[in-house]
Amino acid sequence: MLAAITAASVFPLYWSFVVASHDDNSVLAGTTPPLVPGGHLIENIQRVFELSAFWQALGNSLIVASTTAVSNVLLSSLAGFAFAKLRFPGRNALLVCVVVTVMVPTQLGIIPLYMLVTDMGMYGRLSALIVPALVSAVGVFWMRQAIEENIPDELIEAARMDGAGLLRTYWHVVVPGVRTTATVLGMFTFMFAWNDYFWPLIALPPENGTVQIALNQLAAGYYTDYTLMLAGVVVSVLPVLAVFTVLARRIVSGVMAGAVKG
């Protein structure tokens, strides 16, 4: 069953690679689609970069995805630490407000967000994508639950007795204990920002767009060149696969090592 699920998950990526390695005539000719790679992959990739500003789109997506991933891990873990281990007036009410924002559909906030970004002079810039996504309610709640479950109160009290301040306690006690959860949050945030299409389409002009906007431009027009479009898809998937490979190893090593020994 696992082998079948794995094959079904990998096949779309393999099919994109196969189509991207053929020319358009061989893909559309006949009734049987090609199932083995061809010899036109490099040629099609070169066409992708010649016919669109794909290098700029890759750079924009990398900047946005990396920045939002790092900021979400940092700010969500800080807020989660405050909600989980600090005692201050209105803590539960603030946490409820954070959780309630998750229930608001993204589409309802597009118009106010667009007006806010325009008034702040960020429209058409990458900051229009980065600033609204610096921290998420899901990330705060997720990190709060992880800190609550994985960091005993005794560790926090021991750090305080040793003279550690809040930031030092956070960095030396909390961060090592929730490293695996933070890595998962960073990975999902990176993938979501990389694959986001709706908000970049609104907030950025086509000539300064992200990877998804560039792929949409490759697919636009009266005639769709599937080899060109899927060659762009193959290129756009490579950074995500690289990030997933690196972070997946850290996740597995973190789970095997454990956060607290003894």
Side-chain angles (χ1 to χ4, degrees):
M1 183 179 296
L2 289 177
I5 294 175
T6 302
S9 301
V10 173
F11 181 76
L13 181 60
Y14 174 75
W15 173 250
S16 300
F17 173 76
V18 169
V19 175
S21 61
H22 285 268
D23 58 358
D24 206 42
N25 293 329
S26 62
V27 171
L28 299 178
T31 57
T32 303
L35 297 177
V36 294
H40 297 272
L41 179 62
I42 303 301
E43 175 187 344
N44 291 331
I45 291 178
Q46 290 176 347
R47 291 171 55 213
V48 168
F49 289 102
E50 291 173 358
L51 298 178
S52 65
F54 215 77
W55 279 119
Q56 182 178 357
L58 285 174
N60 291 343
S61 291
L62 187 60
I63 292 173
V64 172
S66 301
T67 305
T68 55
V70 173
S71 66
N72 266 269
V73 170
L74 178 62
L75 298 179
S76 295
S77 59
L78 281 170
F81 172 50
F83 281 125
K85 298 301 179 181
L86 302 184
R87 302 294 182 265
F88 54 91
R91 183 185 67 163
N92 294 331
L94 287 175
L95 180 60
V96 170
C97 292
V98 171
V99 174
V100 166
T101 60
V102 181
M103 304 178 186
V104 180
T106 304
Q107 291 78 5
L108 293 181
I110 289 297
I111 295 179
L113 182 59
Y114 175 81
M115 296 173 62
L116 181 63
V117 166
T118 303
D119 293 339
M120 296 178 66
M122 294 188 296
Y123 177 78
R125 303 179 180 178
L126 296 184
S127 56
L129 306 183
I130 295 174
V131 174
L134 287 176
V135 65
S136 65
V138 174
V140 172
F141 182 75
W142 193 359
M143 294 305 300
R144 185 259 180 191
Q145 294 299 108
I147 294 172
E148 185 75 28
E149 295 175 0
N150 297 322
I151 307 298
D153 293 337
E154 291 77 8
L155 284 179
I156 304 297
E157 294 298 328
R160 290 175 178 174
M161 292 180 64
D162 289 339
L166 284 177
L167 291 180
R168 189 175 180 182
T169 301
Y170 160 78
W171 187 253
H172 291 284
V173 176
V174 175
V175 172
V178 294
R179 186 175 301 167
T180 300
T181 305
T183 303
V184 175
L185 175 61
M187 181 177 64
F188 280 120
T189 304
F190 184 93
M191 294 176 62
F192 178 81
W194 187 274
N195 294 325
D196 190 18
Y197 172 75
F198 185 49
W199 177 238
L201 180 64
I202 298 174
L204 295 179
E207 61 273 9
N208 189 36
T210 58
V211 165
Q212 306 306 322
I213 306 301
L215 291 177
N216 180 67
Q217 292 176 342
L218 291 177
Y222 180 77
Y223 171 76
T224 301
D225 190 338
Y226 291 100
T227 60
L228 180 67
M229 182 180 64
L230 291 179
V233 170
V234 170
V235 175
S236 68
V237 167
L238 294 179
V240 179
L241 290 179
V243 171
F244 178 80
T245 302
V246 173
L247 296 185
R249 291 180 179 178
R250 292 185 176 272
I251 293 171
V252 173
S253 61
V255 171
M256 297 299 295
V260 181
K261 296 183 180 180

